Amino acid sequence: YAPAKYIDGDEIKVVMRDVANDIAILETKKASAPALQLAVEAPEFLQTVFIVGHPFGFPDAIITYGVIAHPSTQFTEEPPFNRPFMLINAAGAPGNSGSPVINDQDEIVSVIQIGWDRVFSAVMGGATWEMLEKYRSYWEPTPFPNNHDLAHP
């Protein structure tokens, strides 16, 4: 993929993309904040987490907080949701998909992938830490414009 350009001229590239699990890692040249790293350890039940995103397409980031309701559970056999998810008890809304779930040490423990309501959801599902751990090697910055496409990890 060629790097995309934002209206402010910043470039962003896809470092890794996993279509089957709906996960991508992006890199920007002019980040206004430090890069987030994947947590060293899996989160635990009731661990406090923060979600940073742009629900409803708000231009400013919205931060919500909650707890890990379950680190890894499968709640249905129906595709495409027939795989483990981390259940997160925190407010979310459409547009939070792809938002990082951050622990109190500023590390990513999950990425929001599903909510259960069209307006606000009190419980959301995210990628499990074990799924994200498979992609740890892609978290290191790489030169533009290299990238990887993992259709089937």
Side-chain angles (χ1 to χ4, degrees):
Y1 313 96
K5 286 201 181 231
Y6 281 105
I7 198 164
D8 68 356
D10 193 8
E11 287 187 29
I12 195 161
K13 71 172 182 167
V14 177
V15 175
M16 184 283 304
R17 182 177 134 199
D18 177 350
V19 175
N21 288 307
D22 193 24
I23 293 286
I25 296 176
L26 308 175
E27 186 176 318
T28 179
K29 281 190 172 181
K30 295 191 306 187
S32 59
L36 295 170
Q37 297 300 313
L38 182 61
V40 177
E41 296 179 359
E44 299 176 358
F45 282 101
L46 300 179
Q47 181 175 345
T48 300
V49 291
F50 301 88
I51 299 166
V52 181
H54 297 268
F56 301 117
F58 290 149
D60 295 322
I62 304 296
I63 301 172
T64 60
Y65 73 95
V67 297
I68 303 297
H70 198 293
S72 181
T73 187
Q74 185 171 328
F75 51 87
T76 184
E77 291 296 326
E78 294 191 29
F81 307 111
N82 56 338
R83 60 185 170 84
F85 282 91
M86 179 182 296
L87 293 183
I88 303 149
N89 187 357
N96 270 123
S97 295
S99 296
V101 179
I102 304 167
N103 66 17
D104 60 2
Q105 293 165 4
D106 297 331
E107 301 170 316
I108 294 178
V109 296
S110 184
V111 174
I112 297 298
Q113 295 184 307
I114 184 173
W116 281 274
D117 203 339
R118 296 212 179 264
V119 182
F120 283 99
S121 181
V123 177
M124 294 184 290
T128 63
W129 179 85
E130 290 80 7
M131 177 191 296
L132 295 180
E133 177 66 19
K134 295 187 309 187
Y135 310 122
R136 184 173 293 281
S137 66
Y138 295 103
W139 291 80
E140 294 301 317
T142 57
F144 275 65
N146 245 353
N147 63 45
H148 306 278
D149 189 356
L150 300 179
H152 304 287

